[in-house]
Structures are given as C-alpha cells and as structure tokens.
Amino acid sequence: MPHPQLQAWLAQNRKLADQRQRRDPDFFSRQAEAHAPELLWIGCSDGRVSPDQLLNLPAGSVFVHRNIGNIFASNDLNCLAVLEYAVDVLKVPDIVVCGHHGCGGIRHALSSTGSAPVDLWTDQIRFAYELFHQYLDDINDFSHRCDRMSEINVRAQVYNISRSSIVRDAWKHGQPLAIHGLCYRIEEGRLFAVCESICDEASLQRQANASGS
Ligand SMILES: [Zn+2]
C-alpha cells in the first residue's frame, strides 16, 4: 500500500493527466515522440522559480538543470554533462542562467563559511563576491546586498559557461548559441536581464573587459 502522501500525489497526477487528455487527446503521444527543447535553463533549486511557469512555455520546451544558487561549476561533472548534452546532442540555440531575489543559497554564501557540503558548494558564490565586492560593500541592508549579489552571481555564471570549451567549440563550428543572464523578482513575478547576452567570441571578450577579467 503506497504511503498516504504518495497516494495523494498519484491521485493529483491521474487527475491532471485525464484533464490534459480530454482537452488534447494527442498530447501525450506527441510528448513521447521526441524531446526537442528550445533552451537550456540553469536555475536555482528554489521551488518558487520553476522555468515552465516563469516563461509560460509549452511542456517539453525547456531542458533544465537546477542547483542551489544557479551555479555552473566547471569542476562539477553534473553541470558539465548537462551542458555538453544540451549543446552537442540537443543543439539548443539558447542557454539561460536565472537567479532570483530572496535566494537562500546567496544568503548562505554571504553569511556563513565552513566545510559542510552546502558551504563548499556556495564557496563559488563567495569567489564571485570577492571579485565584485566593491559594488556591494556600500549596501547596508543585508537583503538588498544579497539581491544585488544574486544578479552579480548570474553574470559570473554566464561568463563561466561562455568560457567553457563546450560552448567555444560549438561557436568554432558555426553552431548558433547564445548565453543569457536573467534574474527573477519573486515579489513582482517579473524576470529581468542582468547582462549582455553572449553569443560569440567577440561578445565574450566584451564581457571579459567589462568585468576586468
Ligand atoms: Zn535560490
């Protein structure tokens, strides 16, 4: 006998599947045919920032990778495999890094250090903080400083992805590929761009010059 909570979720799933099938009898057979997403989304694990809901795209449109603080870590096999699969196999033309205000991962990075897994993971946000703290130190309010850091962190991750050999090899072979940075204001339900999109070596160089790298 399934656990009561599991039974409740299964019942909700059956109801949703039945509703979809009644509205569109071919929906699930179309879904089963192929997976051809139009973008790779690298976002935070926070349950309030689900890409399908934020972008209002049809089911199956987004290839998703989520972790605490929407980080692309070049030493993380999971991040690398997702990027490689999205670019080389699915050939998505767009990659979106999306951070958000009120992010617990950012708050953690700016308020504690240690050797627990979450500390080690969010070290990567602290590295970005070290680089850009001059833009943050005059913000006294901690929540505002964290929100600004969320935007800076997105810029840093867009830059990290653009510098990867997976992306640069795709450009070298003429594959169209743009990397975009967005942030989400939860209290307004609005997405906004935080940096110039990077779509080739020239725009990568401009971003590098702008960040002083
Ligand atoms: Zn978050």
Side-chain angles (χ1 to χ4, degrees):
M1 188 70 172
H3 186 281
Q5 180 58 68
L6 193 56
Q7 279 183 311
W9 287 329
L10 290 171
Q12 278 174 233
N13 166 257
R14 273 196 303 276
K15 195 173 156 193
L16 180 66
D18 290 346
Q19 281 172 350
R20 276 201 169 133
Q21 199 134 31
R22 269 199 301 277
R23 269 203 308 267
D24 180 358
D26 298 328
F27 178 83
F28 291 111
S29 52
R30 277 201 316 277
Q31 287 272 295
E33 269 171 25
H35 182 210
E38 59 186 84
L39 71 129
L40 165 63
W41 174 277
I42 298 178
C44 185
S45 300
D46 191 304
R48 300 167 294 179
V49 287
S50 174
D52 292 347
Q53 290 174 13
L54 265 54
L55 299 175
N56 198 21
L57 287 171
S61 304
V62 189
F63 190 54
V64 180
H65 179 72
R66 293 169 76 177
N67 59 46
I68 294 172
N70 42 273
I71 291 165
F72 175 79
S74 58
N75 59 355
D76 180 74
L77 188 58
N78 191 359
C79 285
L80 289 171
V82 165
L83 181 64
E84 185 185 48
Y85 192 80
V87 173
D88 291 351
V89 179
L90 298 172
K91 299 208 181 295
V92 296
D94 295 283
I95 298 171
V96 170
V97 179
C98 185
H100 65 101
H101 288 182
C103 180
I106 298 284
R107 289 182 80 88
H108 187 89
L110 296 197
S111 58
S112 58
T113 55
S115 57
V118 71
D119 298 323
L120 298 176
W121 180 251
T122 53
D123 264 348
Q124 294 155 105
I125 297 170
R126 278 187 287 277
F127 294 150
Y129 176 81
E130 297 302 326
L131 286 174
F132 295 101
H133 66 90
Q134 71 270 26
Y135 301 112
L136 299 163
D137 288 346
D138 58 347
I139 305 174
N140 292 324
D141 182 83
F142 183 63
S143 293
H144 287 160
R145 196 155 71 240
C146 288
D147 289 347
R148 185 79 184 103
M149 185 63 221
S150 292
E151 299 163 21
I152 287 170
N153 179 50
V154 168
R155 288 184 66 148
Q157 305 312 325
V158 165
Y159 185 58
N160 288 343
I161 293 168
S162 306
R163 284 197 316 166
S164 72
S165 57
I166 296 165
V167 166
R168 297 175 96 170
D169 284 349
W171 287 336
K172 212 181 290 175
H173 295 116
Q175 188 176 329
L177 184 58
I179 299 94
H180 316 277
L182 294 177
C183 196
Y184 181 63
R185 274 193 202 97
I186 293 183
E187 64 276 21
E188 296 171 3
R190 304 272 177 173
L191 287 166
F192 60 98
V194 299
C195 56
E196 183 195 349
S197 297
I198 301 181
C199 48
D200 51 25
E201 288 288 343
S203 49
L204 173 59
Q205 202 50 52
R206 274 201 301 281
Q207 192 83 338
N209 293 340
S211 60
S213 302

